Amino acid sequence: MLKEKILGKEAGILTYGMTPPKVTNTPEKIAEISQKQVERINDLEIDALILYDVQEEAERVEQQRLSVLANY
């Protein structure tokens, strides 16, 4: 288990991260996307699955972010 690996300070913990489907997708599309993700990770020996909480930029902040690279 992941907890034991962390507490035992074991090396080689394998995580897999993904983002959820967009809210605007139909239930059928969400089911299709989910099935593809399950197929991708089913045979992987992952220790933890990371599901990122992604929010649209416009909904998260009032001001638009400036790109640091825009000045270079």
Side-chain angles (χ1 to χ4, degrees), residues 1-3 5-6 10-16 44-50:
M1 281 185 82
L2 178 62
K3 183 178 178 180
K5 284 187 173 183
I6 293 171
E10 290 184 38
I13 294 174
L14 180 62
T15 61
Y16 185 93
L44 301 177
E45 295 182 15
I46 61 173
D47 295 302
L49 179 66
I50 300 169

Side-chain angles (χ1 to χ4, degrees), residues 9-72:
K9 299 179 182 177
E10 290 184 38
I13 294 174
L14 180 62
T15 61
Y16 185 93
M18 67 174 131
T19 58
K22 291 185 178 185
V23 175
T24 56
N25 286 323
T26 64
E28 294 80 16
K29 185 67 175 173
I30 291 173
E32 178 186 335
I33 293 168
S34 300
Q35 182 60 38
K36 285 181 182 179
Q37 285 288 14
V38 168
E39 290 170 5
R40 283 185 190 123
I41 65 173
N42 197 38
D43 293 329
L44 301 177
E45 295 182 15
I46 61 173
D47 295 302
L49 179 66
I50 300 169
L51 184 61
Y52 295 99
D53 181 16
V54 179
Q55 300 174 15
E56 292 294 328
E57 190 71 16
E59 295 174 8
R60 245 176 16 100
V61 295
E62 292 180 18
Q63 291 182 315
Q64 184 177 3
R65 291 185 185 202
L66 298 176
S67 174
V68 175
L69 299 177
N71 296 325
Y72 293 98

